[in-house]
Structures are given as structure tokens and as C-alpha cells.
Amino acid sequence: MTIATPPPGHRGALRRTTIAWLRVALGAVVLAGLLLSWTAPAASAHVPTTDGTSVIRQDGASVHYTLELDYDTLTKAAGFGTLPRGTKDAEHAAFLEAHRAPLVSYLSDRLTVALDGSPCSAVLGGTGITKRQRFLYARLLLTYRCPESESGEFTVRYQVFSEADAIGAEHTNMVDYELGGSGGSDVFDIGHRELRAGRSGAAHAGRDAPRADGPDLSWASTGRFVSLGLEHILSGADHVLFLVLLLLGAQGWRSVVRLATGFTVAHSVTLALAALGWLDVPTEIVEPLIALSIVYVAVENIIRGESRHRLLVVFGFGLLHGLGFAGALDFTGDFSGRLLVSLLGFNLGIELGQLAIVLAVFPLILLARRRSWSVLAHVGAAAAVGVIGLVWFVERLLPPGGAA
């Protein structure tokens, strides 16, 4: 009995194919390791940040300032430590109230208000706590007594959680203000630590003075929201990798435009609804699902590429990513023209970042497809990103360190 054996050429081809797939697997593991080392500082796949809100309202010669900050970061920065995990809300509130003196000391030279250059004296009227999602925030009620004048130019200087505090994270604070007859929204961050509102003594009665009930059309303020949106998408590795996977499976520029449009429409809807407080989905649900969206598209890229239903899939996942984008915003006031301007600016920043990713990545993908190794590279890249998405999914199911 004779057993047929494959010809030598066939064995050589089989061996080369096996070696090629082993290289793909090894490359996927290496690429996943490199990308994980890039994103290791945070399971959320974003640059570590803390956020906060400022609601500033003038009442005659007084300015009422409601400040909300990440609870643990504030207690560390102010120098009176933290409470153990599992502490009850009432104990957190009492701990904060018992340390009024160090709070006042910490804020005295980090948060100041002046009217026409004359400093306003500050009084800490009350403390408390609040929760957003599962995270605990300290609420501080400050009153600034200004010189006896109800109009003029107000200057708010914000140095809370500045570089000198070395908190190990970037800090942004969303501002909603009505001062000196003007109102608007703004952002305090590492590049913007001062807010000026109202009109200086000689000019505040001019015909072009802004109104408190109208939108703030300041290009500088709008530009900061555009910059915030741009920074948010470019520093969010999960959003970037999701877009890269969509580009990896796209058949051509027409497909890219169709998918990008569907993703943009979807995330714009949920971003607006969530940022304005009309839709509230817990982050412990949203973030794991965003990670799973990466895994799904990665697997689809490996198995069948762009399917007939991909536009619907992308639209559905875009709704999730919009909720993730909204995590960078926390508007405190009711819907108004100025909040709409700020929201549009933030969304414009996201679209500019998305456009930059498309223009940087897709031409390289088209060039790579001309090479003989393009199929193996496609599978390897999709596999590596899928592994990362799976790791993020598991990490995001774990309790966050800042949870209350």
C-alpha cells in the first residue's frame, strides 16, 4: 500500500504560509504590547485628568461661587489626606467640613476674584459632597465681597490643581458665569487660568456691552471648547483605535465618507443629549461597551472586512462613543444660547480631530494595500487592536480607584 505524499513544492508553500501566520501572530502580540504600554496610565484609555465645575453668579456687590472638584484630589492637594475606601457619604461630608481651615488656606491664593483690579474678600460659606456617575466630588460654596459697585470688569484667577500641586493629572474646570452684566461659558485648564467679564470702569456702559442672557460669542472662549474637543479625541486611545479599525476595513474614500458621516451624526446626538443632562447613562456601562465596540470591529475586519451592515453597526457604536465624549463636559446651567455655542465648539474640535486621523491614516492604508504583505499586516493590526480592546473591557469592569 502506497501513501501519497505532497510534492516538495507544496510542502515548501505550506511551510512558508505557516511561518507567515506565525509572524502575524507574533507581530500582533508585539504591537498590542507597545500600544498597551502607551495607554497603560489609565484603563479609560485617556490621558489622566480631573475635572470640576464653577458656577459664578454676581449678586450686587457679592459674587457667589459654587466650586465642585474631585474629592480625593482636593483633600490630597489641600494636605489633609484621604479617607479609606468604603467610607460612607456622611463621613466624607463631615471630614470635609472638619477641615475648613486647610481648605480656606489652600484656596486663598489659588482662587481669587477682583473688581476693576481691587481684590474681593472671600468667605467659605459651606461645604458638601455630590456624585456624578460613581465619582465623588467636593462642593464648596464661596462668597466674594467686592467693592461697592455692581458693574465693572471682574477678573477671576484660577490656580486650583495647578502644576505646583503635582497631582499627576491634567485638570479642566467648566465655567458658567454671570458677572458685570455679561454671561457665558468657559474652561479653566493648564493654558487658561484667568477669566475676565464685564466692562472696565470707563467702557462698561458702552453700547456693545454683552448681555447676561445672551450667548457668549467670544472667539477666545469658543476656541477653548474647540481645543478641548480636539484634545479629547486625540488623547483618547479608544476613540482613535476605533477610527483606525474603521479605516482599516473601508474599501475606499467613498466608504470612508459614508462611515465617518454615520459615526459623526450618531456621536453628535448622544454627545448633545448627555452634555446637556437630557440623557444619563452610567460610565460603568458606557466605557466597557466602547471597549467591546473595538473588539467587535477588529474581529469583523479579520473575518469579512466591510460588511453590508457596517454603517448600521458604526452608527450604533457612534451613539456609545458620543456618551464617552460627553464625559469631558459638564454643563451646569439650563439650555441656553451660550451653552449651545460651547457645545458646538467642542463638537467641532472632535470633528477636526477625526478628520486629522482620517487624512493621516487612510492614505497610508491605501499605500500598504499595494504590497504583497498587506493581507497579513491587515490581520495582524486588527488582531493587536482587538486584544487591546479586550484588555480594556476587562479593566473597565473593575472598580475605578476614584469611585465613591
Side-chain angles (χ1 to χ4, degrees):
M1 179 177 180
T2 302
I3 300 176
T5 58
H10 178 78
R11 288 197 300 269
L14 181 62
R15 185 181 298 110
R16 287 192 297 270
T17 301
T18 302
I19 292 174
W21 281 106
L22 287 175
R23 288 176 176 173
V24 169
L26 179 60
V29 172
V30 172
L31 182 57
L34 290 173
L35 291 175
L36 280 174
S37 66
W38 169 42
T39 57
S44 63
H46 289 279
V47 173
T49 60
T50 69
D51 63 349
T53 61
S54 293
V55 179
I56 311 172
R57 296 289 184 267
Q58 180 189 355
D59 181 13
S62 298
V63 174
H64 301 292
Y65 197 128
T66 302
L67 175 67
E68 292 186 4
L69 297 167
D70 180 81
Y71 185 95
D72 286 339
T73 306
L74 175 62
T75 57
K76 290 177 183 177
F80 54 92
T82 59
L83 292 173
R85 193 176 188 84
T87 301
K88 295 181 179 179
D89 291 349
E91 294 173 307
H92 276 115
F95 184 69
L96 199 65
E97 180 66 21
H99 291 84
R100 291 173 64 96
L103 283 174
V104 171
S105 176
Y106 176 76
L107 294 173
S108 61
D109 58 351
R110 289 175 173 84
L111 185 56
T112 61
V113 177
L115 176 58
D116 287 334
S118 300
C120 305
S121 59
V123 175
L124 178 59
T127 65
I129 60 170
T130 186
K131 284 184 176 180
R132 294 199 295 272
Q133 305 290 358
R134 292 186 298 169
F135 295 90
L136 189 66
Y137 291 79
R139 175 180 291 173
L140 308 177
L141 308 177
L142 298 151
T143 298
Y144 291 85
R145 306 291 182 184
C146 299
E148 290 296 329
S149 173
E150 296 187 10
S151 59
E153 184 181 57
F154 286 86
T155 303
V156 180
R157 290 188 174 89
Y158 185 91
Q159 296 292 334
V160 177
F161 298 166
S162 64
E163 298 85 345
D165 292 326
I167 62 172
E170 295 182 3
H171 175 64
T172 59
N173 188 290
M174 303 289 296
V175 186
D176 187 308
Y177 68 90
E178 291 181 5
L179 292 169
S182 67
S185 300
D186 213 323
V187 181
F188 289 132
D189 58 21
I190 191 171
H192 177 59
R193 295 287 189 177
E194 184 175 281
L195 167 68
R196 293 180 181 270
R199 307 289 292 181
S200 59
H204 74 267
R207 63 182 180 180
D208 59 341
R211 294 174 52 85
D213 56 351
D216 178 8
L217 298 179
S218 163
W219 285 109
S221 175
T222 304
R224 281 188 284 275
F225 280 95
V226 174
S227 177
L228 185 64
L230 182 63
E231 178 185 351
H232 188 67
I233 187 170
L234 294 182
S235 65
D238 47 2
H239 304 308
V240 171
L241 292 183
F242 181 79
L243 284 174
V244 169
L245 284 174
L246 294 184
L247 297 175
L248 197 63
Q251 297 301 312
W253 282 107
R254 182 178 298 179
S255 174
V256 168
V257 172
R258 184 174 66 253
L259 295 175
T261 300
F263 184 68
T264 296
V265 171
H267 77 63
S268 296
V269 169
T270 47
L271 167 62
L273 293 177
L276 295 172
W278 298 343
L279 178 64
D280 185 13
V281 181
T283 187
E284 59 265 30
I285 296 177
V286 173
E287 292 295 331
L289 289 179
I290 288 177
L292 278 185
S293 74
I294 295 173
V295 177
Y296 178 90
V297 178
V299 172
E300 188 179 57
N301 277 348
I302 294 173
I303 295 177
R304 57 182 177 178
E306 184 178 354
S307 66
R308 292 183 303 169
H309 306 295
R310 172 160 281 199
L311 183 58
L312 292 176
V313 171
V314 169
F315 186 87
F317 287 149
L319 297 175
L320 282 174
H321 283 256
L323 294 173
F325 292 143
L329 294 178
D330 190 6
F331 292 126
T332 55
D334 296 330
F335 180 78
S336 65
R338 64 185 186 232
L339 292 187
L340 179 61
V341 169
S342 302
L343 179 59
L344 290 176
F346 181 81
N347 199 46
L348 175 60
I350 290 177
E351 304 317 321
L352 290 175
Q354 180 175 296
L355 178 61
I357 294 169
V358 171
L359 295 179
V361 174
F362 196 60
L364 296 178
I365 292 176
L366 293 179
L367 287 175
R369 287 177 182 172
R370 300 177 181 178
R371 305 297 180 180
S372 59
W373 43 260
S374 63
V375 174
L376 296 180
H378 174 105
V379 173
V385 176
V387 170
I388 292 172
L390 191 59
V391 171
W392 282 340
F393 173 70
V394 173
E395 287 181 333
R396 294 173 185 191
L397 292 179
L398 303 176

